[in-house]
Amino acid sequence: MKIASVIVDVPAKHTDKTFDYLIPEEWTDTIQPGMRVIVPFGPRKIQGFITGIKSESAFEKLREIIEPMDLEPVLNKEQLKLAAWLTDTTLCFKIFALQVMLPAALKAKYDKKVKLAQGINKENLPVKLHEFFKNEQFFSWEDALKNGLVPILQREAAKGHLEIIYEVKERLKKKYIKFVQPLVAEAELEVVINKLPKRAEKQKEVLSYFVQHPDAVEMRILLKDLNISAATVKALVEKRLLTEQDQEVYRDPYQNRVFERTLPLPLTNDQQTVIKPILNTIENNLHEVFLLYGVTGSGKTEIYLQSIQEVIEKGQEAIVLVPEIALTPQMVNRFKGRFGNLVAVLHSGLSAGEKYDEWRKIQRNEVSVVVGARSAIFAPFENLGIIIIDEEHETSYKQEDMPRYHARDVAIERAKNYNCPVVLGSATPSLESFARAQKSVYQILTLPRRMNQQALPAVEIIDMREELRDGNRSMFSRKLFEMLKGRIERKEQTVLFLNKRGHSSFVMCRDCGYVMNCPNCDISLTYHRVNEQMKCHYCSFEAPVPKSCPECNSEYIRYFGTGTQKVEDELGKILPEARIIRMDVDTTGRKGSHERLLKDFQDGKADILLGTQMIAKGLDFPNITLVGVLSADTMLHLPDFRSSEKTFQLLTQVSGRAGRHELPGEVVIQTYTPEHYSIELAGKQDFDRFYHREMMARKMHSYPPFYYLSLITVSHEELITVISATEKIAAFVRSRISNRAVVLGPSASPIPRINNRYRYQCLIKYKREPELYPTLKTILDQYQPNAKSGLLVSIDVNPFILM
Ligand code: ADP
Ligand code: ZN
Ligand code: ZN
């Protein structure tokens, strides 16, 4: 008698364990660990994962598995082991740790079919199966179950004759998507808005929307965002104010593209020095973590490529993580160009169906390399030879929902399982990683020079307060303006970078730097043009826009951190001859548009590329000789102990976009706080000094990398309930861990109320506390069943967002 251990798909405390089920006779040869099955659970039928098979159970009267969902395991042994580790280290439900490793198509309900493999006819299969195919390549999984075909299908699948596919419905649906955009100019829209009768409120709202976003927007998004019906839009289309268009969406952005093959470049001496220890670990199956510390343009990517080459030649596989935002076509090209069809790409721009297709290529060993964003770390390879994390300092490697994992930790854990190296690359390593390298926990490899021997670009920091004192009220300093003009005359290109916080616009005093914050939340208020109000996006506080600065009485307090749109307008006025490409959430909402805009810029169709964070990375065009940062300080105001680090990283990163090729580059950073060390040292591109300066601050306040952090956040609709629960939790933690640890709180979270729920937190700073995890687990066990009482407790181990 065979018994299966099953983790059921019910994320709750009382189901967060394995359940025993009998494996019915007919499935004994079929069912394996890593497969999904349907099991009875109370009165319901639900999905579960087989995590193990055994011959005895401590329970009597076991129920039987109803049926398998897969012909082959969807998770391999190592992934099952990894899931257990994830559960322990991030304190998540077991089911979340399993599901995070699968593509979305395997999580939702999709059409499931048995399909002939490529190049196989039904005549190649046992006669018994012929009738089911009728005249098609596939038949439904239900038919397979009804007719007891699973064992025979499984045998054929093992021979490579058959596979199970999940038809994602969305994929079969629209090839076209409807977009709406204004037909008339902004000024005309404003006129119409004023003329429309009062009762046409919805129409006014739509037109106002387009005043702010003049670009085409997907109809579905427009309707949802403004909560209007299609009829409202239709009325405006009939008035010839708006126009509707069908736009084709790409299925596979890489499908029909030819990638120019590249060959390994002869390495420089510096590169040879750093690649040697990496190759050595690959050859000898050694686990080691390398920190590849090299300025932008120092040849790190070539090191990745040649290390992977070695791994592929050994018959092994590679995972390359790139931050979502840097997963640009250029980056993908470099990998596809070197390894062609051996590369799968996983990023959020793909549809569920496309992601599933890429995942299947990995699962079936058709590729050897995956290049992807955070979750690609779970790629189902079975013989990993290297894991590379580019821009390792990026905070997007941390997932904020359960399981709250950091891709770097997962990488190291997987690499231990496979005895292979991890390479963390960055020009501005995270403080945590650099400190580990200093202590030889990681091995540091340095590429100190740029490939082209060019000096790093000269950086000039401009004090915008001084500009104002001298009577310049433009968002461009005189210096930047002169340089822009020069570039246009010389036909060189400029990147203008707007350091915006989210999409919000806030109010700041241009004399003293005062930022208008919400009185309830440590968050700046957002400016709303429609009614000239300042609003808090978290607690709905509202106030009129101040006429003068509450701190210094200056009248130059205004709407700041303005949108890219505004910058574009102003550029149009002061440099009418400049051709501008604007890249922000508005212009890149459409699939493929990001890529197209970059291509246009590369082809010289514009003088200036203007954009937000998304242009900070990965750009590598020879003709860029000037980079301007319009407002360097906005991020410094965030209530986050990493805000200096993030500012430094971002400024350094952007500066690296200039002068990557023959032409020398210049960088201008405009700021209202030039004296802040993260701005000053980013200007000097001096990571080492920044590291020491920032380490002092971290040490003084007991932050990472000197201490670990765990954050407990409690929320409830009633303040008293939250406070008393958090007090109990804090007291419990204090009673269970040593007094070397620091337990801060209970205190209100930096954002103390969201959606009418009060939020309190307790921050634990510690070095080594073996009792802490069990304590945190107990807290979750204690409070998770209380979801009914409305109390929510969440725990983030090594949090990146402290709000
Ligand atoms: P990083 O990843 O550190 O930013 P890259 O790998 O992109 O640096 O290298 C910068 C530029 O130098 C690229 O254009 C790359 O093709 C080129 N390059 C890298 N290694 C070599 C080499 N060994 N010989 C010649 N050119 C190289
Ligand atoms: Zn608020
Ligand atoms: Zn002021």
Side-chain angles (χ1 to χ4, degrees), residues 509 512 549 552:
C509 172
C512 73
C549 173
C552 76

mmCIF file of all heavy atoms in Angstrom, residues 509 512 549 552, ligand 3:
data_model
loop_
_atom_site.group_PDB
_atom_site.id
_atom_site.type_symbol
_atom_site.label_atom_id
_atom_site.label_comp_id
_atom_site.label_asym_id
_atom_site.label_seq_id
_atom_site.Cartn_x
_atom_site.Cartn_y
_atom_site.Cartn_z
ATOM 1 N N CYS A 509 9.736 73.483 -1.261
ATOM 2 C CA CYS A 509 10.203 74.857 -1.252
ATOM 3 C C CYS A 509 11.557 74.914 -1.950
ATOM 4 O O CYS A 509 12.475 74.189 -1.596
ATOM 5 C CB CYS A 509 10.351 75.366 0.171
ATOM 6 S SG CYS A 509 11.155 76.975 0.221
ATOM 7 N N CYS A 512 14.430 76.497 0.624
ATOM 8 C CA CYS A 512 15.010 75.775 1.756
ATOM 9 C C CYS A 512 14.880 74.259 1.631
ATOM 10 O O CYS A 512 15.403 73.516 2.458
ATOM 11 C CB CYS A 512 14.389 76.241 3.072
ATOM 12 S SG CYS A 512 12.711 75.669 3.338
ATOM 13 N N CYS A 549 6.115 79.089 1.997
ATOM 14 C CA CYS A 549 6.721 77.996 2.730
ATOM 15 C C CYS A 549 6.504 78.153 4.241
ATOM 16 O O CYS A 549 6.841 79.189 4.811
ATOM 17 C CB CYS A 549 8.217 77.953 2.424
ATOM 18 S SG CYS A 549 9.099 76.768 3.432
ATOM 19 N N CYS A 552 10.187 78.836 5.817
ATOM 20 C CA CYS A 552 11.011 80.016 5.577
ATOM 21 C C CYS A 552 10.247 81.150 4.915
ATOM 22 O O CYS A 552 10.837 82.168 4.558
ATOM 23 C CB CYS A 552 12.231 79.653 4.733
ATOM 24 S SG CYS A 552 11.853 79.405 2.999
HETATM 25 ZN ZN ZN B 3 11.203 77.220 2.591
#
